[in-house]
Amino acid sequence: MTSHIRKPATLAFPSPGRFRLPDIPQREPDEVSQFDHLFKTGRSHALAVHLGNPETTLVEADRWIIVEPGTFRDLARYPDLLVAFDVDPAAYEASNGYIISEQGKPPDFVLEVASASTANTDIGAKRDDYARMLIPEYWRFDKTGQHHGTRLAGDRLVNGVYVPIDIEELSEDVLQGYSEALGLYLRWERGELGWYDPATGQHIATFDTERARADRAEARADRAEARIRELEARLSQES
């Protein structure tokens, strides 16, 4: 759900020798779908926690990807979600974006969330550009299926060309496809985006699930303490 360059940007050079990308353009009002599905729900943070290794793993959004300095005006995108393993997060911050030549590899995974203003670009020009950048996986999520023409879609790079990833229909309300890059299933479930771990057979942990788990553990501890007090009271009465 991102857009190509909408207007010329002024590049900034805060220190000698450091190429720094500009901030992305202001988003269209309907592009709030990205925030709703990834950030307000905490799903992007949950994915970052699940993948771990923050010293070498990026789970980011809303900054440019370019191939190398000097190519910004020819080929540049800013995805709704980017995942890259075995990279330098400090360089990403210093450059204000992902420079493939600087990181030594493309991102491993990008995702776009559908909006009316960007849907045609998501399924057309962006797909072509991400393939040109040699990004191994490109995914698209559409809450209703009305913008992308399908609710969940993914492509995997094979010999420099994107090949569609199989999407399973588990039920009328659940679709899923497997991301080799993440080792997880992406799920469209009742219009919500989810990450499903085949190793555990469950969705990855989120703030809500961890809070519920902690609440259950606390309740079990309270019940055990109550039983101990009852036993102590009974023994006291018998002595």
Side-chain angles (χ1 to χ4, degrees), residues 38-39 42-60 81-85 182 184 195 204-206:
L38 291 171
F39 305 111
R43 287 185 174 88
S44 57
H45 176 70
L47 179 62
V49 172
H50 175 81
L51 295 176
N53 301 316
E55 297 84 4
T56 58
T57 300
L58 280 172
V59 180
E60 291 287 346
L81 188 67
L82 169 158
V83 178
F85 302 102
L182 303 183
L184 297 170
W195 317 102
I204 67 174
T206 65

Side-chain angles (χ1 to χ4, degrees), residues 87-137:
V87 293
D88 184 356
Y92 176 85
E93 291 292 331
S95 298
N96 197 36
Y98 196 102
I99 302 175
I100 293 173
S101 64
E102 180 178 66
Q103 297 289 354
K105 61 187 285 286
D108 296 275
F109 171 103
V110 292
L111 168 75
E112 302 286 0
V113 178
S115 68
S117 63
T118 64
N120 289 336
T121 309
D122 288 348
I123 61 179
K126 274 187 236 174
R127 186 175 185 270
D128 295 339
D129 285 349
Y130 289 141
R132 288 172 62 194
M133 292 177 179
L134 301 180
I135 295 173
E137 287 188 3

Side-chain angles (χ1 to χ4, degrees), residues 215-234:
D215 289 346
R216 290 194 297 271
E218 184 177 359
R220 287 195 298 270
D222 289 344
R223 289 194 296 270
E225 185 177 350
R227 287 195 294 270
I228 291 172
R229 288 198 299 268
E230 290 173 4
L231 179 59
E232 289 175 342
R234 189 180 307 120

Side-chain angles (χ1 to χ4, degrees), residues 1-3 24 27 31-39 41-45 47-48 51 58-65 77-84 92 106-115 118-119 121-123 126-127 129-131 133 135-143 148 150-156 162 165 167 175-179 181-182 184-189 191-196 204:
M1 166 194 89
T2 64
S3 299
I24 65 170
R27 285 183 173 272
E31 293 182 87
V32 71
S33 57
Q34 174 222 31
F35 175 80
D36 289 344
H37 288 288
L38 291 171
F39 305 111
T41 59
R43 287 185 174 88
S44 57
H45 176 70
L47 179 62
L51 295 176
L58 280 172
V59 180
E60 291 287 346
D62 283 347
R63 294 188 186 180
W64 294 104
I65 305 172
R77 293 289 176 186
Y78 52 95
D80 291 332
L81 188 67
L82 169 158
V83 178
Y92 176 85
D108 296 275
F109 171 103
V110 292
L111 168 75
E112 302 286 0
V113 178
S115 68
T118 64
T121 309
D122 288 348
I123 61 179
K126 274 187 236 174
R127 186 175 185 270
D129 285 349
Y130 289 141
M133 292 177 179
I135 295 173
E137 287 188 3
Y138 171 40
W139 287 83
R140 296 167 299 285
F141 175 84
D142 187 340
K143 179 176 182 177
H148 288 163
T150 186
R151 295 173 290 179
L152 181 67
D155 290 299
R156 185 171 292 119
Y162 274 143
I165 294 171
I167 303 297
L175 302 174
Q176 73 173 19
Y178 183 68
S179 167
L182 303 183
L184 297 170
Y185 283 100
L186 275 71
R187 280 195 173 183
W188 183 101
E189 192 162 357
E192 299 297 328
L193 174 64
W195 317 102
Y196 186 85
I204 67 174

